Amino acid sequence: SAAEAVLRRKRVRIDYHSRSDDEKLQRTVSPQRMVHYRDNWYLDGWCHKRRALRTFAVERIGSILVLDQDAVEMDDGRLDRHFASAYGIFAGAPEHTAVLKFSPERARWVAEEQWHPEQRGEHLLDGSWQLEVPYKHAEELVMDILRYGPDVEVLGPPELRRTVGGRLRASAAAYD
């Protein structure tokens, strides 16, 4: 299992079915740690084919073979810089900052939530809450924004605003 490989510090060969592009892959991975995030388990590891750190959803691993080779070791600081610096489970250093404005009604709740350790927020004069969140990939952030419907407005960056607006228009069109 993935947990066994992490504990034994051994490389694994996995058959992986990627959600993002529906591709079936075989990878040799040096497991670094297991992460529990939003009710799902993930394996963070060094992918030897891509020569980079990657995250693999455990439920998408079809088979796993523990190899008789020691895993490449990464220190916790490097792992945290790669995996924990941007919003959500998608890794990498943040390249953008989302600026979100929540309605006064929703502000009471959102002001107490932690979306990211490096977030910044402030109450505005009209009672709304402005939240700034660093991110690299928008997919998960867009899903979280959409759950607030009309109680949030994306102020920036423009590409995030267009993406959320397009998703909301497509949702409304399904009801016309």
Side-chain angles (χ1 to χ4, degrees), residues 127-153:
S128 61
W129 177 254
Q130 184 169 302
L131 178 64
E132 296 181 10
V133 180
Y135 71 99
K136 178 171 179 135
H137 301 286
E139 295 91 347
E140 186 176 357
L141 180 59
V142 168
M143 289 187 295
D144 286 341
I145 292 168
L146 290 172
R147 70 186 170 116
Y148 287 97
D151 289 317
V152 63
E153 178 185 0

Side-chain angles (χ1 to χ4, degrees), residues 18-37:
S18 172
R19 272 192 193 104
S20 60
D21 55 13
D22 200 30
E23 186 180 4
K24 292 184 180 175
L25 318 163
Q26 187 172 81
R27 294 282 192 260
T28 298
V29 177
S30 285
Q32 300 301 308
R33 60 186 173 191
M34 300 288 297
V35 176
H36 190 251
Y37 180 75

